[in-house]
């Protein structure tokens, strides 16, 4: 297993709404999670049972029937039987690895709005944290099962890292749901990249209103080339993708929306991890999610930035 990533570059308590409460943080809670995840896995309905079980402790418990009711004819490109043989076991495997991937004392920050703003005007501030690809897969698996709960000190509107909502409740979206499941199917086929370069880094950049942290006049540095193209953003082979998006990172990806931002987050689910740590934006913070070195980057610019 690859060496764990250093989570936060800077995470003073004053900068945080709170911290992600991991199921493995509590030994008693983890025993229940383990019992549920180690239950029978013989047919798709067993996944429904797990999601329903984890929902029992929610304020409004829900019953999942997504996998029992799944109609293969409406999602011909997704092979549920193959997923049960490969993707589902991997999802359970990485979920059960949480205590090793996030040892006791690990801080997984949820940043406040304006938390990246430095004290001095005219300077650019940054919040940064990094995860391995396996850590991302682990968090995504728990978000799917519903075992990753909203921390009590975080408002509902500030916790949108809820993959489970694609499978149970009023926002069930079969197309979005199977696109997400394909992520684990792909990892099962090709393996989880775990080299030294396979780190996902999330940066939240921002500055106070007033003087800009850069100067245009008299600056001899050339601007980088920017190309505006038509088509789906996820089909573009550019190293950096910039998009003018919803003030909430990920937009409506967890409610079945399918615009550019939502599509990009579905086909690259590791971007969804930014939804817990950087829940909302305000002029002028810019969350910047990028893969180390040769991996693609994404810059998400809040709608209120002026587009």
């Amino acid at each position: 297993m690859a060496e764990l990533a250093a989570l936060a570059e800077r995470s003073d308590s004053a900068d945080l709404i709170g911290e992600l409460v991991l199921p493995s943080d509590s030994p008693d809670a983890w025993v229940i999670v383990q019992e549920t995840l180690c239950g029978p896995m013989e047919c798709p309905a067993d996944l429904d049972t797990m999601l329903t079980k984890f929902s029992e402790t929610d304020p409004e418990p829900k019953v999942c029937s997504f996998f029992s009711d799944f109609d293969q004819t409406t999602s011909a490109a997704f092979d549920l039987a193959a997923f049960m043989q490969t993707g589902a076991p991997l999802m359970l495997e990485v979920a059960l690895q949480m205590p090793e991937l996030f040892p006791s004392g690990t801080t997984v920050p949820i940043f406040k709005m304006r938390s990246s703003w430095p004290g001095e005007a005219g300077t650019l501030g940054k919040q940064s944290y990094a995860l391995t690809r396996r850590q991302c897969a682990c968090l995504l698996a728990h978000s799917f099962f519903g075992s990753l709960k909203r921390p009590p000190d975080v408002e509902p509107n500030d916790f949108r890292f809820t993959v489970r909502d694609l499978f149970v409740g009023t926002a069930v979206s079969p197309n979005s749901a199977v696109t997400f499941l394909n992520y684990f199917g792909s990892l099962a086929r090709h393996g989880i990249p775990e080299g030294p370069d396979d780190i996902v880094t999330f940066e939240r950049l921002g500055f106070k209103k007033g003087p800009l942290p850069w100067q245009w006049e008299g600056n001899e540095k050339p601007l980088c080339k920017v190309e505006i193209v038509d088509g789906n953003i996820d089909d573009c082979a550019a190293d950096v993708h910039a998009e003018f998006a919803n003030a909430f990172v990920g937009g409506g990806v967890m409610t079945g929306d399918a615009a550019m931002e939502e599509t990009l987050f579905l086909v690259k689910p590791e971007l969804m991890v930014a939804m817990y740590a950087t829940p909302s934006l305000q002029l002028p913070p810019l969350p910047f999610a990028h893969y180390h070195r040769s991996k693609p980057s994404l810059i998400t610019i809040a709608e209120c930035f002026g587009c």
Side-chain angles (χ1 to χ4, degrees), residues 22-277:
L22 303 175
S24 56
D25 287 344
S26 166
D28 292 339
W30 185 244
V31 167
I32 297 174
V33 170
Q34 281 184 305
E35 290 177 350
T36 303
L37 295 179
C38 292
M41 182 54 65
E42 299 175 356
C43 64
D46 290 329
L47 285 173
D48 289 328
T49 300
M50 291 182 180
L51 270 70
T52 300
K53 178 66 176 178
F54 284 121
S55 183
E56 289 178 355
T57 57
D58 293 339
E60 298 180 8
K62 298 179 177 66
V63 175
C64 182
S65 61
F66 179 90
F67 294 95
S68 300
D69 298 339
F70 184 76
D71 185 354
Q72 186 69 66
T73 62
T74 62
S75 301
F78 177 73
D79 188 337
L80 179 57
F83 174 79
M84 293 300 299
Q85 293 295 318
T86 58
L90 177 63
M91 189 181 291
L92 291 168
E93 175 188 315
V94 295
L96 289 167
Q97 289 174 346
M98 177 168 272
E100 293 78 39
L101 294 173
F102 298 92
S104 177
T106 301
T107 297
V108 186
I110 303 177
F111 293 117
K112 287 181 180 178
M113 191 180 296
R114 308 184 189 92
S115 60
S116 61
W117 292 13
E120 182 181 352
T123 58
L124 186 66
K126 180 177 73 172
Q127 295 281 13
S128 178
Y129 65 102
L131 299 171
T132 66
R133 305 287 290 274
R134 186 171 289 270
Q135 286 174 318
C136 286
C138 177
L139 292 177
L140 286 164
H142 281 281
S143 182
F144 161 77
F145 286 115
S147 46
L148 196 62
K149 306 295 185 182
R150 174 175 61 87
D153 55 345
V154 175
E155 295 295 325
N157 211 34
D158 286 330
F159 191 77
R160 295 169 176 248
F161 185 48
T162 52
V163 175
R164 182 198 62 173
D165 290 346
L166 295 175
F167 298 85
V168 58
T170 58
V172 172
S173 175
N175 289 335
S176 296
V178 299
T179 303
F180 171 81
L181 295 177
N182 276 328
Y183 162 73
F184 280 97
S186 178
L187 291 181
R189 290 192 300 274
H190 304 291
I192 300 177
E194 302 195 73
D197 294 343
D198 291 299
I199 302 296
V200 185
T201 303
F202 301 86
E203 295 179 351
R204 183 181 179 117
L205 309 176
F207 55 91
K208 283 187 174 182
K209 294 180 181 179
L212 296 176
W214 52 79
Q215 183 177 352
W216 297 108
E217 295 181 3
N219 193 327
E220 297 180 354
K221 293 182 179 179
L223 296 175
C224 63
K225 181 180 178 180
V226 176
E227 183 178 358
I228 299 176
V229 298
D230 294 329
N232 295 327
I233 190 171
D234 52 290
D235 291 335
C236 181
D239 292 331
V240 177
H241 295 162
E243 57 146 352
F244 292 84
N246 196 296
F248 289 97
V249 175
V253 65
M254 301 304 185
T255 55
D257 291 1
M260 298 290 270
E261 181 175 14
E262 289 81 8
T263 301
L264 187 64
F265 275 57
L266 281 170
V267 299
K268 299 177 180 179
E270 287 161 347
L271 295 174
M272 293 180 180
V273 178
M275 297 178 70
Y276 82 77

